């Protein structure tokens, strides 16, 4: 681990600090180039945009530019370490946007005293960008922040910790249930955790067919039930009318366990209580809710996923967010709505069922991968994600009326 720590520090420090930079897209070699790039030539697109604001997409980089914005109140699994400490994560997000979807992204870290100040700051700069990716903002403030910004901005605003996690989780979950011979609408689901990611995951699973009354959500005080008076409006949606109070109560006969909480909260004896052919997603990072080796030691009929790359079935947001924004920006969507999220779920699911290209096997370090218990979701390096997910999202945006332009016939060819 000490070697890895130093490798990570060196990666960020060399050959020069950070992971992103700005590149020029046009010539700037001659006096004529400079006269076109700046004064006096730049006045011409200024006049055009002033007369027709949509021309900003024609003459500037707005349509390919994403802002990755945070306040640093929920950095990875490290907690509230402040905006400056979040900068490596936001630069990393910008790197992923560029690497996987050729989207330019800049990181913005905001200091503020109240959520309203944060909302005002972001809303006031939003027109600079084609889309806004919110990141590492703690619950429950993140819900209100995203809601207000979606109302105030005419570009897509997407809190990836909520919806990116939910999309990838739903895609992997439905595939896992298919393999286990189960239907999502008949499955009993236990969710350990009640923060932003947990609530978004469960809401999207419901949109994909899960029944709210079959979902049992737990926070630090146990099962969220209708007789509790200490839960916020977001947890209230999952308050179950039940006498069960503990994880051990609700895990009995459960088909699915989803963990977005903390390490080692699910025991081997708990796993033994689950229904035949269970599905466990232990997504706490870096240490999951239960070690996969321990879970498999007590159940040989299990499908297991984690957030880690060193175990099969990694639930990783990079499978989704670059392509969600690519599709949304390519049709100038004003929103990323539920229909676009479900379209992304189905596109990701479908790729896992296709033969895996040799290039993906090589990049992922596998000799072979076939749809099944140890391969329920595509690998991040799969080049088919870009065309499939971005295309599905763009078409859903058009179908639901949030797109401002049509897709070209040769899109992604």
């Amino acid at each position: 681990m000490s070697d890895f720590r130093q490798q990570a520090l060196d990666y960020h420090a060399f050959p020069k600090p950070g992971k992103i930079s700005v590149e020029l897209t046009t010539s700037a070699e001659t006096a004529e180039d400079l006269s076109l790039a700046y004064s006096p030539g730049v006045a011409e697109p200024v006049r055009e945009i002033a007369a027709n604001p949509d021309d900003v997409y024609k003459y500037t980089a707005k349509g390919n530019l994403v802002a990755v914005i945070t306040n640093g109140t929920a950095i990875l699994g490290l907690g509230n370490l402040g905006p400056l400490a979040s900068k490596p994560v936001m630069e990393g997000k910008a790197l992923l946007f560029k690497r996987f979807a050729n989207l330019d992204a800049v990181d913005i870290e905001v200091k503020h005293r109240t959520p309203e100040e944060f909302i005002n700051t972001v809303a006031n700069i939003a027109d600079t960008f084609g889309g806004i990716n919110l990141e590492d903002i703690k619950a429950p403030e993140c819900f209100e922040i995203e809601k207000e910004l979606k109302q105030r901005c005419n570009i897509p605003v997407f809190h990836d910790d909520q919806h990116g996690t939910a999309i990838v989780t739903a895609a992997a979950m439905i595939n896992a249930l298919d393999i286990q011979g189960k239907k999502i609408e008949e499955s009993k689901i236990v969710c350990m955790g009640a923060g932003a990611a947990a609530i978004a995951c469960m809401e999207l699973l419901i949109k994909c067919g899960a029944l709210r009354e079959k979902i049992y959500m737990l926070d630090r005080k146990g099962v969220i039930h209708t007789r509790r008076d200490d839960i916020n409006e977001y947890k209230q949606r999952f308050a179950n009318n039940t006498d069960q109070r503990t994880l051990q109560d609700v895990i009995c006969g459960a088909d699915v366990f989803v963990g977005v909480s903390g390490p080692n909260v699910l025991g081997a004896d708990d796993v033994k209580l689950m229904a035949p052919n269970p599905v466990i997603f232990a997504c706490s990072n870096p240490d999951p809710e239960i070690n996969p080796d321990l879970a498999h030691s007590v159940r040989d009929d299990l499908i297991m996923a984690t957030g880690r790359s060193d175990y099969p079935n990694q639930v990783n947001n990079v499978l989704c967010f670059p392509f969600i924004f690519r599709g949304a920006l390519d049709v100038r969507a004003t929103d990323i709505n539920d229909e676009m999220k479900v379209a992304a779920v189905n596109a990701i699911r479908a790729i896992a069922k296709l033969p895996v290209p040799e290039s993906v096997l090589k990049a992922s370090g596998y000799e072979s991968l076939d749809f099944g218990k140890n391969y329920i979701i595509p690998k991040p390096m799969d080049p088919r994600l870009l065309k499939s997910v971005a295309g599905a999202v763009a078409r859903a945006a058009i179908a639901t009326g949030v797109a401002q332009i049509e897709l070209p016939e040769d899109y992604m060819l």
Side-chain angles (χ1 to χ4, degrees):
M1 286 303 295
S2 61
D3 288 345
F4 182 78
R5 179 179 184 276
Q6 192 58 52
Q7 288 175 21
L9 293 173
D10 290 347
Y11 178 90
H12 286 79
F14 303 108
K16 62 181 183 179
K19 299 191 286 283
I20 58 174
S21 66
V22 174
E23 63 181 18
L24 302 184
T25 60
T26 58
S27 175
E29 302 305 314
T30 68
E32 183 180 6
D33 289 338
L34 298 184
S35 71
L36 293 171
Y38 201 57
S39 182
V42 75
E44 300 309 322
V46 168
R47 293 187 182 101
E48 294 297 310
I49 295 167
N52 178 19
D54 280 350
D55 277 353
V56 70
Y57 289 97
K58 184 176 181 180
Y59 296 114
T60 78
K62 174 182 168 76
N64 199 58
L65 185 61
V66 175
V68 183
I69 306 182
T70 189
N71 60 8
T73 54
I75 305 173
L76 303 175
L78 303 174
N80 185 355
L81 301 181
L84 199 59
S86 72
K87 190 171 178 65
V89 184
M90 302 306 111
E91 284 192 357
K93 203 72 180 244
L95 178 152
L96 296 172
F97 271 115
K98 189 67 174 181
R99 165 62 180 82
F100 289 104
N102 199 28
L103 284 166
D104 298 320
V106 295
D107 63 293
I108 299 173
E109 293 78 33
V110 178
K111 290 196 297 185
H112 65 94
R113 290 169 296 180
T114 65
E116 184 179 11
E117 283 187 357
F118 181 90
I119 292 165
N120 288 337
T121 298
V122 177
N124 287 337
I125 64 173
D127 282 350
T128 305
F129 308 100
I132 292 173
N133 183 112
L134 299 174
E135 191 80 12
D136 288 359
I137 302 170
K138 70 183 178 73
E141 288 90 340
C142 63
F143 301 117
E144 187 64 24
I145 286 170
E146 186 191 43
K147 178 182 176 183
E148 288 298 316
L149 286 173
K150 285 170 76 74
Q151 291 175 352
R152 291 178 58 175
C153 301
N154 62 358
I155 58 172
V157 177
F158 184 83
H159 184 201
D160 186 51
D161 298 307
Q162 291 184 59
H163 309 300
T165 301
I167 288 166
V168 180
T169 299
M173 180 63 66
I174 298 170
N175 275 353
L177 289 171
D178 284 349
I179 294 166
Q180 296 289 59
K182 298 188 177 190
K183 297 180 179 179
I184 191 169
E185 62 269 21
E186 297 174 355
S187 297
K188 178 183 178 182
I189 300 172
V190 173
C191 179
M192 175 63 77
I199 288 171
C201 283
M202 294 304 107
E203 290 288 2
L204 189 57
L205 286 178
I206 290 168
K207 291 179 176 68
C208 291
L211 299 182
R212 193 177 293 271
E213 59 268 25
K214 287 182 172 287
I215 294 174
Y216 295 82
M217 184 177 284
L218 297 92
D219 61 11
R220 289 182 177 86
K221 295 183 179 180
V223 174
I224 296 173
H225 57 84
T226 53
R227 288 182 285 283
R228 281 182 56 175
D229 58 6
D230 61 344
I231 51 179
N232 61 41
E233 62 180 293
Y234 306 102
K235 293 182 184 182
Q236 187 67 46
R237 301 174 192 167
F238 293 93
N240 211 298
N241 186 15
T242 179
D243 293 328
Q244 298 178 322
R245 297 290 182 264
T246 69
L247 172 62
Q248 287 67 39
D249 290 336
V250 295
I251 200 71
C252 187
D255 300 287
V256 172
F257 172 90
V258 177
V260 274
S261 54
N264 304 315
V265 295
L266 183 70
D269 289 339
D270 301 325
V271 176
K272 292 177 183 179
L273 296 173
M274 296 182 72
N277 300 318
V279 175
I280 293 178
F281 281 25
C283 297
S284 174
N285 259 325
D287 299 314
E289 282 76 5
I290 184 171
N291 183 282
D293 295 331
L294 176 60
H296 285 295
S297 74
V298 296
R299 295 296 294 258
D300 59 8
D301 59 346
L302 169 69
I303 290 181
M304 178 97 191
T306 71
R308 295 177 55 134
S309 60
D310 53 348
Y311 289 103
N313 302 325
Q314 183 188 21
V315 178
N316 189 331
N317 289 15
V318 76
L319 289 169
C320 140
F321 70 83
F323 317 117
I324 291 270
F325 274 94
R326 179 79 275 167
L329 267 61
D330 286 345
V331 292
R332 296 185 197 167
T334 57
D335 188 22
I336 296 173
N337 58 31
D338 289 338
E339 290 83 358
M340 295 160 73
K341 297 171 196 171
V342 172
V345 169
N346 291 328
I348 294 169
R349 284 186 59 210
I351 293 172
K353 299 179 181 181
L354 300 175
V356 180
E358 187 66 32
S359 62
V360 177
L361 294 174
K362 184 177 180 180
S364 304
Y366 286 85
E367 292 185 3
S368 65
L369 285 171
D370 296 294
F371 183 63
K373 287 189 175 184
N374 290 320
Y375 179 64
I376 60 175
I377 195 165
K379 295 296 180 182
M381 297 297 185
D382 198 318
R384 298 171 295 185
L385 286 161
L386 177 58
K387 179 178 179 180
S388 296
V389 180
V393 168
R395 289 188 291 273
I398 293 168
T400 55
V402 297
Q404 298 182 87
I405 60 173
E406 293 291 326
L407 275 179
E409 291 185 4
D410 60 350
Y411 184 66
M412 288 289 175
L413 294 180

